[in-house]
Amino acid sequence: MDDRYTSKLSPAVDYGAGTFLLLVAILSILGNAAVLVTAAQRHSVLKAPELLTVSLAVTDIGMAISMYPLSIASAFNHAWIGGNPSCLYYGLMGMIFSVASIMTLAVLGLVRYLVTGNPPQSGKKFRRRTISILIAVIWLYSLLWAVFPLLGWGGYGPEPYGLACSVDWAEYQNSFNGSSFIMALAILCTLIPCGVILFTYSGIAWKLHKAYQSIQSNDNLPSSGSIERKVTLMAILISAGFIISWAPYVAISLWTMFHSEGNYRVSPIVSLLPCLFAKCSTVYNPFVYYVFRKSFRRELRQIRLCCCHHCWDATDRLTLSRGGQHSEEPSRVQKQERAKE
């Protein structure tokens, strides 16, 4: 086996990383599945900007389903499973979902900036068709960047600790092909989206500040302004959570670009921790929705009650089929039998 695909960590660290990723995967799948189910239930009344949160949930659950199982299995195997083909697949999926996430957050910030008005009622309105087109463009853009390394511009390679794959950051110093791809990726898929996020939410904060001053002078607090601030705060927390989760990984990757060898080379354990922290970003958003959206909490309770109801029905049917009816009131089957007698 290629030495790059063998674990550079101790078995205890591998088991710990695998267990941690398993927990992250479970929480991410359950949380984002709940977001998608509740969105499907109220599909007809979803506002246009809410489609972006649905797209964000798709990126998170997609990453958890398509990538985490391979990382978990490799961690417990103490070596990367599948060699080059699975490494290319893992890098491709990681590029698609990570670029789609940050571009969705940038567009979400821009939409929130345009929707937020001063006064609150003066914001721009978006149609669902417009947001749907933006989401399609985001996914096509992400797919394009993911395919570039397969077409020969840039490349994918194993992480320094040997249990995951990503962009081959070390190629920055080895070839113009690798350096040009990494620089373009950093500018077009990291710096510009982050700049848009910071600019838009700074602008929103200024708009809300001016609106609050206007409200104070008029002694009037429209409910729409309060709702707008709450939705904006939720969007800020989602964006901040993503950036904070990925910032250590980006920092380590930039360091690896210039120090892939020698005394300043990043140790395997140091390269592992930011990767694990970045994967936590897929768990964060459902908790934000749960705290800030009453409708989400209410729909989750309905889903839980519905599941419990179906479970009780299934249990009752199983009990009846085994002749184990313990209720004092006769069942419908027992009533029919007595009627025949």
Side-chain angles (χ1 to χ4, degrees):
M1 178 184 291
D2 191 334
D3 184 62
R4 297 179 305 162
Y5 296 123
T6 58
S7 174
K8 311 302 186 298
L9 306 167
S10 66
V13 174
D14 285 344
Y15 282 128
T19 303
F20 178 81
L21 280 177
L22 180 61
L23 178 62
V24 169
I26 293 172
L27 292 176
S28 179
I29 292 172
L30 292 178
N32 289 287
V35 173
L36 295 177
V37 169
T38 56
Q41 288 182 335
R42 52 193 294 266
H43 172 73
S44 59
V45 296
L46 279 178
K47 296 179 181 179
E50 289 183 291
L51 296 177
L52 290 167
T53 63
V54 173
S55 179
L56 198 60
V58 171
T59 65
D60 289 342
I61 198 172
M63 189 176 292
I65 292 175
S66 66
M67 298 173 61
Y68 293 178
L70 189 54
S71 290
I72 294 168
S74 297
F76 286 113
N77 187 54
H78 307 302
W80 181 253
I81 296 174
N84 284 324
S86 64
C87 185
L88 292 176
Y89 161 80
Y90 193 92
L92 182 74
M93 293 295 105
M95 182 71 79
I96 290 174
F97 292 122
S98 59
V99 173
S101 293
I102 194 168
M103 296 307 296
T104 301
L105 290 172
V107 172
L108 180 62
L110 189 58
V111 169
R112 289 303 321 160
Y113 176 78
L114 296 174
V115 167
T116 303
N118 179 27
Q121 295 87 347
S122 64
K124 181 178 176 63
K125 304 300 181 183
F126 283 88
R127 298 174 59 186
R128 293 182 61 159
R129 176 180 172 83
T130 303
I131 298 297
S132 298
I133 292 174
L134 288 174
I135 291 173
V137 170
I138 288 171
W139 283 97
L140 289 174
Y141 184 78
S142 306
L143 181 61
L144 180 66
W145 278 100
V147 169
F148 277 146
L150 302 183
L151 299 178
W153 189 31
Y156 296 120
E159 297 279 7
Y161 57 91
L163 295 178
C165 291
S166 181
V167 174
D168 193 351
W169 303 105
E171 280 297 304
Y172 181 81
Q173 291 185 310
N174 298 333
S175 67
F176 175 76
N177 179 289
S179 61
S180 62
F181 174 76
I182 291 172
M183 287 301 298
L185 179 68
I187 294 171
L188 298 177
C189 298
T190 304
L191 295 181
I192 290 180
C194 287
V196 170
I197 291 170
L198 293 175
F199 169 78
T200 53
Y201 288 119
S202 298
I204 290 171
W206 175 252
K207 285 185 177 183
L208 293 178
H209 172 69
K210 300 298 289 184
Y212 181 72
Q213 288 182 330
S214 174
I215 289 168
Q216 278 190 322
S217 63
N218 296 330
D219 295 326
N220 183 27
L221 183 62
S223 60
S224 60
S226 177
I227 294 173
E228 201 163 83
R229 285 196 299 274
K230 190 174 182 179
V231 172
T232 300
L233 178 59
M234 185 177 71
I236 290 174
L237 289 175
I238 291 171
S239 299
F242 181 87
I243 293 174
I244 291 172
S245 296
W246 281 92
Y249 176 78
V250 172
I252 290 295
S253 299
L254 292 174
W255 182 270
T256 303
M257 286 166 52
F258 300 101
H259 303 89
S260 58
E261 297 179 357
N263 294 332
Y264 294 101
R265 184 178 182 179
V266 175
S267 64
I269 187 65
V270 172
S271 66
L272 168 68
L273 296 178
C275 289
L276 296 179
F277 189 57
K279 287 178 171 58
C280 293
S281 64
T282 60
V283 179
Y284 178 70
N285 294 343
F287 288 102
V288 176
Y289 301 144
Y290 187 84
V291 171
F292 284 90
R293 286 171 52 180
K294 291 182 179 179
S295 60
F296 184 59
R297 294 197 297 270
R298 183 174 60 252
E299 287 155 4
L300 281 182
R301 284 195 295 269
Q302 292 175 350
I303 292 173
R304 187 168 62 248
L305 290 174
C306 183
C307 291
C308 291
H309 177 72
H310 286 304
C311 287
W312 280 113
D313 284 349
T315 303
D316 288 343
R317 285 195 296 269
L318 182 61
T319 303
L320 286 173
S321 65
R322 292 179 176 178
Q325 178 67 275
H326 298 294
S327 174
E328 294 181 0
E329 183 179 352
S331 69
R332 184 175 60 182
V333 176
Q334 289 175 328
K335 290 179 180 179
Q336 291 175 350
E337 292 296 329
R338 290 178 183 178
K340 292 178 181 179
E341 294 176 355

